[in-house]
Amino acid sequence: MRIPEDPWNRDGFGRRNFLKATCAATALGLTGGALLAGSAYADALTKAQRDKMTPEQIVKAMKEGNERFRRGERKNRNYLREQEASAKGQYPAAVLLSCIDSRAPAEVIMDLGIGDIFNCRVAGNVENEDILGSMEFACKLAGAKVVLVMGHTACGAVKGAIDNAELGNLTRLLAKIKPAVQATSYGGERSAKNYGFVDAVARKNVEMTMGDIRRDSPVLAELEASGAIKITGAMYNLETGAVEFFG
Ligand SMILES: [Zn+2]
């Protein structure tokens, strides 16, 4: 039995029309990833677009994306088009290490799309050798130019580390955050009930994780020293929706 042609089949009618639409959009100057400045239209990043951007421009684009999110705006986006455009290859601009917290999805809070960034997520955004391996792949082999460690306010993992919570494998994970608890200088009450202290520890944890990445990954440290990549941090505020970048 012959299967009727799917109009959106990549090798059929849909693909050609898609390419025609892409060319038309290019002619009008409408294409560009969500990371590209000055474009209201979001599409998957091409290699040429990504390679042209400096690490600073990529950070700036993420900041602008968060500003759009905070204004309740977003780029004109079609996920199916992004999926289609990125199916044959991916050229993400950054690799993120952020918490599993359901309220801090990087693509949403920075108005990014399919193919824009690599994501590593683990409670408390701590590094380990698997995450470092993923980051080395992202930067050295796949060409990402920014490593962003993003913590957030009111982080449950940070609270757990402060409280010495114990549960199965979680105990070992929280142990990786404890050095940040100890290293945080804070004048007030050092408890998980004090949000000021929790957020100060979360910030210190991001700073220390950035240091851990540089120490434990000569590959990334070398890329940073050569200027090929930027390793930086950020804190996401659950209350205000703002991502505060460290640099
Ligand atoms: Zn968290």
Side-chain angles (χ1 to χ4, degrees):
M1 194 182 97
R2 190 174 179 275
I3 300 166
E5 192 181 0
D6 173 359
W8 290 104
N9 186 309
R10 270 187 204 110
D11 303 317
F13 173 83
R15 178 66 180 169
R16 283 196 301 273
N17 266 10
F18 165 75
L19 288 174
K20 248 193 271 174
T22 304
C23 292
T26 305
L28 293 167
L30 294 174
T31 56
L35 283 163
L36 293 185
S39 164
Y41 192 84
D43 208 343
L45 275 177
T46 66
K47 185 175 189 300
Q49 287 166 343
R50 190 272 312 272
D51 289 351
K52 225 166 41 185
M53 295 175 83
T54 65
E56 286 70 27
Q57 285 171 331
I58 291 163
V59 169
K60 184 166 176 279
M62 288 194 284
K63 287 180 184 171
E64 289 169 354
N66 178 242
E67 284 161 16
R68 284 195 301 278
F69 168 73
R70 293 187 71 200
R71 290 195 301 266
E73 298 168 6
R74 62 175 193 161
K75 287 209 174 190
N76 184 9
R77 171 182 308 292
N78 180 330
Y79 282 127
L80 287 180
R81 267 188 63 118
E82 291 181 357
Q83 169 263 322
E84 183 90 29
S86 60
K88 295 279 192 290
Q90 59 167 343
Y91 309 102
V95 52
L96 266 65
L97 170 56
S98 59
C99 183
I100 62 167
D101 196 292
S102 66
R103 301 161 296 179
E107 277 92 346
V108 177
I109 65 174
M110 289 190 272
D111 188 27
L112 303 171
I114 293 172
D116 282 340
I117 56 170
F118 288 105
N119 270 304
C120 307
R121 293 184 75 167
V122 61
N125 38 271
V126 289
E127 55 100 39
N128 62 30
E129 60 187 15
D130 298 322
I131 283 172
L132 291 178
S134 302
M135 289 177 163
E136 289 168 1
F137 165 77
C139 295
K140 185 79 180 183
L141 300 181
K145 295 181 179 179
V146 171
V147 174
L148 177 68
V149 182
M150 183 172 75
H152 68 99
T153 60
C155 180
V158 168
K159 289 179 190 172
I162 294 170
D163 275 346
N164 298 307
E166 292 190 3
L167 169 72
N169 289 286
L170 182 59
T171 307
R172 259 211 323 231
L173 169 54
L174 297 184
K176 296 191 168 192
I177 303 174
K178 287 185 181 179
V181 180
Q182 271 115 48
T184 301
S185 45
Y186 189 79
E189 185 192 333
R190 298 175 68 88
S191 94
K193 291 188 185 68
N194 181 355
Y195 283 6
F197 181 59
V198 171
D199 295 349
V201 173
R203 176 177 290 267
K204 177 61 77 179
N205 183 48
V206 169
E207 290 168 4
M208 291 177 75
T209 300
M210 288 163 56
D212 293 344
I213 290 168
R214 292 181 175 115
R215 181 196 63 208
D216 297 337
S217 172
V219 171
L220 294 172
E222 199 177 293
L223 285 171
E224 186 185 36
S226 74
I229 68 165
K230 180 183 176 82
I231 299 174
T232 189
M235 276 289 288
Y236 177 57
N237 189 315
L238 294 182
E239 302 276 348
T240 65
V243 178
E244 181 207 335
F245 286 79
F246 294 1

